[in-house]
């Protein structure tokens, strides 16, 4: 077989050569050890937690080493493409602090190694397809869908491995005449790789996450180009990651089964093999067993979920880092205020089996992150969230920013800041009562009659002076307690509750409920200071009126 003639026949319009492409996309001039890596998503419009896990791994590896992170859009499957998906992806990742140095952008391409959208790279793939054909390493296959399914059925019936290999690779060694006849009849064809591998052979491979692997060679003649001339993922991966000078491929471990083929392909194309970082799946507990997070069942897989719930970016970032590197938490304890990018990230610390996503842990991390922020920052982030997800609340927050910031300052700063909220969504239930429209009518404990509660509230009003310091304020509450025959001696009460009508805690709760509508709230003295004398009195009076 004259392979060069076959290559010219199949790709008459390809004039460029691998050498000219090598020149066009030269090796990058980067310092020793700089990692060039990428995110290579398909534009399906759905950005998930897995993208973030991969994105952060890639981002850290690139930027920590003085390398490059680029974005390549894998749009070879036009059927799955959703308009605007690239924009959603870029904006979502940017929201989480992942910035690309190069690649596809909202307004086109940025960088010297493009185009960065695969559908625009058809000519480039054809250069290498032609090269492989000319060297006898790829060939056209004219099998129809029906023929392929008949073959599969036969293999299944014989209990053989399914696929296009060995004696089943019916177009592997066909004559030039057979090929010509099909081409003359305009029969559609795909381009297949001529595998020289054998499943009898194994070799060792080192993955940066999975460690040392024993890999069985690939013997399947996989498809390189589909019948429309568009490459499969495998072929595009080899060509693109070579020409874009990727040093590390960070991707999900669902690609591990086809890795033997990828290694073979790099070799056949005379490309240097990049290093691989295969990331395990994100899982969750479902009852007592683990399962992969699923798009269909788990809303928390989508990144939009975290934005809508109001998890600050810092919290999600911090949580993902704790998932990715087991020593991150210790580092954080030792460096509580350090920028997370100063942590020395290592792909080798990733759990090869994947990670268990733990919502409660995320919530904890988020509480800590919010507790670390100062009030103006909390105000700014909360307002930004509310503008998108709770407009009414946003209007209230913005109507008096000083008032809102004072509220948000309660319990902040100091050695042990309060950890009241984990998400911006929780802010309204926590502090909404400061706004009259959100104040709820209190429901008092039925153990106490209205007359007692009214009595306490009247006594409080009579003694209340906004100028009191918190010590005097509380002394007054204690005096009321004793005056109505309740006790301030919590120890004695605990020993024999039946000996008392109630305690200072009950008295405080009556006042708290009258002022905040709730049985728990931030420090009540501070709440009154922020509300001011008049509004505090009004609220207590309204409660008395309702109970009377
Ligand atoms: N388009 C592939 C995917 O979305 C990319 C895998 C890779 O990073 O190479 O799974």
């Amino acid at each position: 077989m004259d392979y060069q003639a076959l290559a010219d026949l199949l790709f008459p319009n390809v004039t460029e050569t691998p050498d000219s492409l090598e020149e066009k996309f030269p090796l990058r001039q980067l310092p020793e050890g700089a990692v060039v890596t990428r995110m290579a998503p398909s534009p399906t419009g759905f950005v998930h937690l897995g993208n973030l896990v991969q994105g952060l791994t890639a981002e850290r590896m690139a930027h920590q080493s003085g390398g490059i992170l680029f974005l390549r859009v894998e749009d070879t499957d036009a059927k799955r493409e959703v308009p605007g998906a690239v924009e959603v992806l870029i904006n979502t990742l940017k929201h989480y602090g992942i910035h690309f140095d190069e690649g596809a952008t909202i307004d086109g391409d940025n960088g010297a190694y493009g185009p960065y959208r695969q559908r625009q790279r058809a000519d480039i793939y054809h250069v290498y397809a032609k090269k492989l054909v000319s060297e006898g390493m790829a060939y056209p296959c004219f099998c129809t869908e029906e023929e392929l399914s008949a073959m599969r059925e036969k293999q299944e019936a014989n209990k053989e491995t399914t696929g296009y290999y060995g004696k089943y690779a019916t177009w592997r060694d066909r004559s030039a005449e057979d090929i010509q006849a099909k081409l003359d009849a305009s029969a559609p064809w795909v381009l297949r790789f001529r595998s020289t591998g054998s499943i009898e052979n194994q070799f060792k491979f080192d993955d940066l996450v999975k460690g040392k692997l024993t890999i069985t060679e690939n013997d399947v003649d996989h498809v390189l180009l589909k019948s429309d001339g568009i490459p499969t993922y495998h072929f595009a991966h080899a060509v693109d990651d070579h020409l874009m000078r990727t040093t590390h491929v960070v991707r999900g471990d669902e690609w591990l089964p086809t890795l033997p083929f990828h290694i073979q392909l790099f070799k056949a194309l005379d490309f240097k093999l990049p290093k691989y970082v295969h990331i395990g799946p994100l899982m969750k507990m479902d009852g007592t067993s683990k399962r992969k997070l699923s798009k269909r069942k788990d809303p928390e897989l989508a990144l939009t979920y975290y934005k809508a719930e109001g998890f600050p970016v810092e919290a999600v970032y911090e949580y993902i880092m704790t998932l990715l590197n087991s020593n991150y938490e210790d580092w954080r304890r030792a460096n509580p205020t350090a920028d997370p990018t100063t942590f020395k990230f290592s792909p080798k610390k990733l759990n090869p089996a994947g990670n268990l996503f733990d919502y409660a842990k995320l919530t904890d991390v988020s509480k800590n992150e919010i507790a670390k922020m100062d009030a103006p920052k909390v105000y700014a982030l909360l307002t930004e969230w509310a503008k998108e997800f709770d407009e009414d609340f946003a209007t209230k927050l913005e109507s008096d920013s000083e008032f809102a910031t004072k509220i948000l300052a309660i319990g902040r700063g100091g050695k042990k800041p309060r950890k009241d909220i984990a998400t911006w969504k929780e802010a309204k239930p926590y502090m909404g009562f400061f706004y009259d429209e959100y104040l709820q009518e209190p429901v008092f404990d039925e153990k106490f009659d209205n007359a007692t509660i009214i009595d306490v509230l009247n006594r409080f009003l009579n003694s209340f002076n906004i100028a009191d310091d918190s010590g005097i304020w509380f002394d007054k509450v204690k005096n009321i307690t004793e005056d109505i025959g309740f006790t301030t001696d919590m120890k004695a009460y605990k020993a024999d509750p039946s000996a008392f009508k109630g305690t200072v805690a009950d008295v405080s709760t009556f006042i708290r409920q009258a002022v905040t509508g709730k049985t728990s709230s931030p420090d009540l003295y501070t709440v009154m200071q922020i509300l001011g004398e008049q509004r505090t009195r009004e609220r207590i009076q309204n409660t008395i009126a309702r109970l009377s």
Side-chain angles (χ1 to χ4, degrees), residues 423-437:
T423 62
W424 304 134
K425 205 182 209 173
E426 289 174 7
K428 192 151 109 181
Y430 163 73
M431 62 178 276
F433 68 84
F434 275 99
Y435 299 92
D436 293 340
E437 294 86 335

Side-chain angles (χ1 to χ4, degrees), residues 56 95-97 311-321 328 332 340 362 365-366 368-370 372-373 377 381 424:
L56 274 182
H95 180 72
Y96 286 100
F311 280 101
V313 166
E314 289 88 339
V316 178
Y317 190 104
E318 194 75 7
Y319 175 64
I320 301 283
M321 289 303 274
Y328 185 82
R332 176 49 89 202
L362 167 66
V365 169
S366 194
N368 276 331
E369 285 304 305
I370 295 179
K372 278 197 282 185
M373 297 173 185
K377 179 162 185 184
L381 293 178
W424 304 134

Side-chain angles (χ1 to χ4, degrees), residues 38-42 54 72 74 233 237 241 249-251 254-255:
R38 78 298 189 275
M39 279 191 82
S42 303
Q54 261 174 52
R72 179 171 71 229
E74 305 220 318
Y233 165 77
H237 156 48
D241 281 316
V249 171
V250 179
R251 65 182 181 187
E254 67 273 19
W255 295 108

